[in-house]
Amino acid sequence: FGSFWTNGQICSATSRLLLHADIAPAFLDKLKQRAESIRVEDPLTKGCRLGPLVSAGQYERVKAYVAAGLEEGAELLTGGGRPSHLASGYFLQPTVFTSVKPHMRVWREEIFGPVLSVMTFTSEAEALKLANESEYGLGGAVISADAQRCQRVAEGLECGIVWVNCSQPCFSQAPWGGVKNSGHGRELGEWGLENFLSVKQITTYVSPNIWEWYNPEQPSKL
């Protein structure tokens, strides 16, 4: 959902998946089934769950990322092309890459399309390291049945928004914003109001001593 909702054309899309190696084979089998079950249609068609990309330029851009992923050695689990039943329009199948490496463009860059890149990890520390090596830091999620692990990882992720066992809910009372190259400041909540305020500092000197540093009666010695 976090990757394919709005066709991935959203700043907070969770388009990188870090998956524990122990569950990867079974998880990827289910992920492939889920991705292939997403109904790609004209958005006005009843039951549509994935529409077209927003423009021809963006369509070509996302296709170029798919080509780059294959060229750099990632494996295509599913998707990557036009749905066979849609002969025209900027439609792209839900796409999942596996065997992704940290240097690959599909991992390092923001795609803004229905493309999910998957890497595996073996320890919590490794997962946090891989997640935090990104130059971006808007939204992230941690999915686990271990509440304490969720808390540790949520606190360790270098991003402005973290979802626990879900993805993408947004509340007007909570601050929205990122760190690193994902922007400055916050929207929503009382933190968002601060962007419309101008803060002034006024300092009053109350010491009985004269505010004086350069005293002509006490010249400094060279």
Side-chain angles (χ1 to χ4, degrees), residues 108-163:
R108 293 186 296 105
E109 300 180 17
E110 293 184 316
I111 299 175
F112 285 92
V115 180
L116 177 65
S117 299
V118 184
M119 285 183 62
T120 59
F121 67 91
T122 57
S123 70
E124 185 178 308
E126 181 189 8
L128 276 172
K129 181 177 182 294
L130 288 168
N132 290 337
E133 283 177 345
S134 173
E135 65 178 289
Y136 301 105
L138 179 56
V142 51
I143 311 296
S144 174
D146 185 333
Q148 292 183 336
R149 168 165 286 174
C150 287
Q151 183 69 24
R152 287 194 307 270
V153 174
E155 292 177 355
L157 286 172
E158 295 173 359
C159 54
I161 306 159
V162 179
W163 298 290

Side-chain angles (χ1 to χ4, degrees), residues 137-138 158-161 174-180 182-196:
L138 179 56
E158 295 173 359
C159 54
I161 306 159
W176 179 277
V179 298
K180 298 189 275 191
S182 289
H184 303 279
R186 292 295 182 270
E187 298 174 344
L188 306 180
E190 60 185 87
W191 302 270
L193 296 175
E194 293 177 356
N195 293 326
F196 298 92

